Amino acid sequence: MTSLWLDSPRDQVSDEFVDGATYDDVVVGAGLTGLVTALLLARAGKKVAVLESRFIGAVATGNTSAKLSLLQGIQLQKIKRHTYQAITQAYVDGNRAAQEWLLEYLESRDVPVQFRDAISYAGTPEGTETVEREFRVARSVGLDVKLRAELDVPFATFGAVVLANQAQFDPVQVLEALAADVRELGGVIVEGARVTGVTAGPRSQPARVRTAAGELFAKHVLLTTGTPILDRGLYFAKLKPLRSYVTSYAVPGVIPEAMYLSVDSPSRSLRTAPSGDGKHASEQLLVGGNGHPVGRASSTQARVDDLQEWTERYFPGARLTHSWSAQDYETPHGVPFVGYLPRGRGAIYLATGYDKWGMTNAVSASLTLVSDIYGGSPDWATALHHRATLPAAMGAGLGNGAAVGWWAAKGWAGALLGPRVDALPRPAERQGLIGRAGILPVGVSTVNSASCAVSGVCPHLGGVLTWNDAETSWDCPLHGSRFSATGELLEGPATRDLAQK
Ligand SMILES: Cc1cc2nc3c(=O)[nH]c(=O)nc-3n(C[C@H](O)[C@H](O)[C@H](O)COP(=O)(O)OP(=O)(O)OC[C@H]3O[C@@H](n4cnc5c(N)ncnc54)[C@H](O)[C@@H]3O)c2cc1C
Ligand code: FES
């Protein structure tokens, strides 16, 4: 499953890893957070290295829907319910600063941006009240939103809240511009360099960053890895990994132009994307949705098929060009975790938990991290740091913890009571099964006619993996690590591949 954005040849090549080199700052992860952070540091005259385990944009940013909006579905009422008004205001102020920063940057670099209305709509009569609530909260934090009773779209809607003049873009074009600028200012970006550990030294000693290729040293290490790869601070336990699907289509006739997001179930996210140029310029339609906690869906392919059926129903003649998937991490209160890592001796920082609103939140996290380290924190960042956890957010966190416990028990019970691996039938094409060798779960799959057996146990904290048939991967239902059919780590808090069996 390759996204529309990643489906073109890349012209940048990785820099060299220099074993034992020392930097002011090492940024781990080359998504939007990592590259904006690296650019801010390089602009401040710091010697910076970015280490990326796969390639630039490989994980969430290269597979996003890339709407850059301050109206974010029902995010504002969620934050308001779990925190309080001042935090909701600080969240919007931080997102506004981020949106302005990114738009100004993209204009300076001639990266194409399309300005569109952002629309949160009710897809059911029950959703109307949710729309009205979002309107009230958005107004209370200064967003110039409007209510609209009807939309000019071919599917049923029951009221909508609209914020004019938001933006959308191709996220890979954004990453390419950022990477080129980081390099122009002397920064290095090394792809294929997975960080396996970071040790903060005693005061005034540099932190040590470990990879398979060797070690680097830095005054500060910034973990911009989606979910943090270090378990200190137990962030993996506070985050809910949610996977979601995007499909793109060539559509005959007119496509609605705005950026739409349903506030209720089934979730639907729509936007357009320019394709072709000159005489052949046209617009593609992107339709996303059908999200679920990572590793906990019985058939992920059924969710992709459902998106396609829905689109073909409402946009007759739509021809699927791409389908892809990605995950992001939800915090109990809807506000990202950004700042220093506990027990990191002030040398290790993290940013995570954007809840599918990373185009703004990645940039506000970068602005926060750099000001945390080098000074000049804006008021909104200070307010977000002093956020208190309210009972509603604690309840959400406890619910997530209970679900993780249940999936841990279910996975091991299923494997221990299930068939021995040598008694399993050969899985059908694009399918995977869990068996056991002794008491240890083993995952067996068939992809492109090749059978493969790998450990069925996640190397992070021992979750039993489940099969993802849309992406032919092994996914962990506990904290969201994912592995290819042959065991290579794709994403998540794990730092090791699966053992071959
Ligand atoms: C389906 C979907 C649609 C979305 N749509 C929108 C949208 O319309 N608007 C919006 O604002 N947001 C959207 N988001 C959210 C947004 O895409 C993400 O929040 C954002 O891209 C996260 O950026 P990031 O840099 O933090 O993470 P990533 O882009 O995931 O980057 C993290 C990088 O760290 C690397 N890494 C991980 N571990 C290591 C390691 N050990 N060593 C070295 N490197 C490592 C990874 O390979 C990866 O490249 C969407 C998310 C999803 C899932
Ligand atoms: S990701 Fe934590 S146990 Fe798998």
Side-chain angles (χ1 to χ4, degrees), residues 1 3 47 72 86 106 119 131 161 171 196 204 228 231 253 313 323 336 352 396 398 406 410 415 426:
M1 292 176 104
S3 76
K47 187 179 174 200
Q72 305 177 342
L106 298 180
I119 301 183
V131 161
V161 52
T196 52
S204 78
D231 288 345
R313 185 169 351 129
S323 64
T352 185
L398 289 174
W406 190 82
K410 175 178 150 82
R426 185 176 198 263

Side-chain angles (χ1 to χ4, degrees), residues 4-176:
L4 180 65
W5 326 116
L6 288 170
D7 193 16
S8 40
R10 289 160 22 90
D11 56 2
Q12 298 186 356
V13 286
S14 173
D15 295 317
E16 205 186 320
F17 182 91
V18 181
D19 191 12
T22 300
Y23 295 87
D24 292 318
D25 304 292
V26 167
V27 177
V28 187
L32 187 60
T33 319
L35 292 184
V36 173
T37 304
L39 179 59
L40 293 172
L41 292 166
R43 279 180 175 176
K46 305 299 169 190
K47 187 179 174 200
V48 56
V50 181
L51 299 179
E52 164 56 50
S53 60
R54 295 177 62 192
F55 56 90
I56 292 172
V59 180
T61 308
N63 293 286
T64 179
S65 307
K67 299 173 182 170
L68 181 74
S69 176
L70 299 183
L71 178 66
Q72 305 177 342
I74 53 169
Q75 198 68 5
L76 296 180
Q77 60 185 278
K78 179 170 163 185
I79 294 173
K80 175 82 189 290
R81 190 168 63 247
H82 291 101
T83 63
Y84 38 91
Q85 182 69 20
I87 293 300
T88 317
Q89 184 69 62
Y91 175 87
V92 171
D93 292 347
N95 273 245
R96 193 193 299 279
Q99 191 189 49
E100 284 169 8
W101 187 95
L102 195 53
L103 288 175
E104 207 178 301
Y105 174 72
L106 298 180
E107 192 182 359
S108 73
R109 295 293 272 101
D110 282 334
V111 176
V113 172
Q114 300 89 48
F115 291 91
R116 298 282 188 266
D117 289 355
I119 301 183
S120 301
Y121 72 88
T124 63
E126 295 73 44
T128 309
E129 212 180 305
T130 312
V131 161
E132 288 167 358
R133 207 176 305 124
E134 194 65 14
F135 169 78
R136 286 194 297 275
V137 180
R139 279 269 160 149
S140 76
V141 289
L143 295 182
D144 188 16
V145 284
K146 307 265 186 307
L147 280 176
R148 212 184 276 170
E150 285 179 8
L151 298 176
D152 191 13
V153 290
F155 44 89
T157 61
F158 298 84
V161 52
V162 182
L163 183 63
N165 210 28
Q166 302 304 291
Q168 61 181 28
F169 45 65
D170 174 336
V172 170
Q173 291 178 349
V174 177
L175 295 181
E176 282 170 354

Side-chain angles (χ1 to χ4, degrees), residues 206-260:
R208 182 199 286 186
V209 183
R210 291 187 296 283
T211 77
E215 294 181 338
L216 295 185
F217 298 89
K219 288 184 201 139
H220 311 107
V221 180
L222 300 101
L223 302 177
T224 59
T225 48
T227 185
I229 51 159
L230 301 182
D231 288 345
R232 279 167 251 174
L234 304 180
Y235 285 96
F236 64 84
K238 300 174 199 162
L239 295 164
K240 189 169 172 186
L242 295 170
R243 199 142 188 92
S244 189
Y245 303 86
V246 190
T247 49
S248 67
Y249 305 84
V251 180
V254 178
I255 314 175
E257 261 220 328
M259 304 186 296
Y260 303 87

Side-chain angles (χ1 to χ4, degrees), residues 425-440:
R426 185 176 198 263
E429 178 62 29
R430 296 182 68 84
Q431 296 304 318
L433 296 168
I434 289 282
R436 71 185 156 81
I439 57 160
L440 289 179

Side-chain angles (χ1 to χ4, degrees), residues 236 458-463 465 476-481 483 493-494:
F236 64 84
C458 176
H460 177 230
L461 291 175
L465 303 170
C476 182
L478 269 51
H479 315 114
S481 289
F483 307 84

